[in-house]
Amino acid sequence: MSQTHVSFIFDDGFTKSCLQVAEIFEARNLSATFAVLVDHEGFMPDFPKGDFKLWNELLERGHEIHPHGWDHSDLSQIPFDEATQKIDDCLNYFTENVTGFQAASTVYHLTYNRSTPEVDAYLLERVKAIRTTGPEGEPGDGLSTADSLSSRQFGCAWQGPDHCDGHLRASLKTAASSDAKHFCYMLHGLDDEGWGPIHRDALEDILDSIQNSDQLVYTPIGEFVGQHLNAITDA
């Protein structure tokens, strides 16, 4: 059985959690992936968010910074023209403010994991891949085969609003026994920060178990896109 590549994405850019997550990953010589907003005003105001100075610092430390949207609007629920303007504004801002950012090489992580076929098509003309579970935005199993990845769309699994520790462990067990090429899981904050957080000790234990696994290999989603998705889509 071939290995399944595992990617975790930490959404929304909670400052405290992102700094701690970066340290946890660095201690294991791994790179974390953060999907962040340009404008987070009014969104979950009880939890401070990072800015692009921090995102560039984390990028310099070896982590991935991906677009999560101009703001936390649900692009499946607003007029198409408004949705495309927010996409363009987001990608332009990232191009101007994130060191080395290239829209054509990135993964765009849709807010609420919701989209429409029209939004998907618009994005896939501009970015390398997208993370979405379609118009309903319902969590999936996070597993992708080579055939499904040929569409350049990553589904994902997640759990909330309570802690996701147990759900993530169970999902990884399923991934380890599958023949999927990739497993994607959406996370947010650590301990009690944000929606569906994970406890710090659980994240540390889970990463250690992946590194000790014969079936699973941790690969940041941007690295996976660069090394594996190109081969799939070019085949």
Side-chain angles (χ1 to χ4, degrees):
M1 182 182 295
S2 61
Q3 289 183 311
T4 296
H5 294 268
V6 173
S7 301
F8 298 157
I9 297 91
F10 294 85
D11 281 8
D12 300 332
F14 303 120
T15 306
K16 178 182 175 182
S17 291
C18 288
L19 289 170
Q20 292 180 358
V21 166
E23 291 175 356
I24 290 168
F25 275 69
E26 288 167 7
R28 292 158 177 80
N29 294 314
L30 297 174
S31 298
T33 302
F34 302 103
V36 303
L37 304 168
V38 174
D39 180 5
H40 48 70
E41 184 176 357
F43 174 68
M44 302 192 80
D46 292 340
F47 304 111
K49 320 294 188 306
D51 58 20
F52 280 77
K53 179 177 182 294
L54 175 59
W55 307 142
N56 280 306
E57 289 173 356
L58 290 176
L59 189 67
E60 179 67 22
R61 285 163 59 176
H63 304 289
E64 297 183 348
I65 305 298
H66 291 178
H68 190 36
W70 174 260
D71 55 23
H72 213 273
S73 297
D74 184 342
L75 300 188
S76 73
Q77 299 298 310
I78 62 177
F80 181 69
D81 288 348
E82 184 179 349
T84 56
Q85 186 63 59
K86 287 181 181 290
I87 290 168
D88 290 345
D89 289 346
C90 174
L91 294 177
N92 288 337
Y93 194 92
F94 268 71
T95 299
E96 294 171 2
N97 292 279
V98 177
T99 303
F101 179 80
Q102 295 182 328
S105 301
T106 198
V107 182
Y108 190 104
H109 303 262
L110 283 123
T111 52
Y112 303 101
N113 286 302
R114 279 197 290 268
S115 62
T116 65
E118 294 77 16
V119 166
D120 292 348
Y122 190 83
L123 273 166
L124 288 170
E125 291 177 351
R126 290 156 177 80
V127 301
K128 183 62 179 180
I130 61 176
R131 190 200 76 197
T132 178
T133 56
E136 301 303 321
E138 295 295 332
D141 59 16
L143 300 174
S144 295
T145 64
D147 285 345
S148 63
L149 286 172
S150 66
S151 68
R152 296 188 286 137
Q153 298 184 45
F154 290 87
C156 67
W158 69 90
Q159 172 69 32
D162 298 326
H163 289 86
C164 65
D165 307 17
H167 184 264
L168 176 52
R169 291 181 192 278
S171 298
L172 284 166
K173 185 176 181 179
T174 299
S177 62
S178 76
D179 59 357
K181 183 75 172 176
H182 187 266
F183 170 74
C184 181
Y185 200 93
M186 177 187 71
L187 293 150
H188 293 90
L190 284 184
D191 294 324
D192 293 315
E193 189 167 46
W195 185 93
I198 185 169
H199 289 104
R200 180 187 179 114
D201 59 352
L203 177 61
E204 292 175 328
D205 181 64
I206 286 168
L207 288 175
D208 290 342
S209 69
I210 293 170
Q211 289 193 299
N212 290 322
S213 172
D214 293 328
Q215 291 78 34
L216 304 175
V217 56
Y218 191 87
T219 309
I221 195 167
E223 181 180 326
F224 179 84
V225 164
Q227 295 184 358
H228 301 279
L229 189 61
N230 287 341
I232 291 169
T233 57
D234 292 344

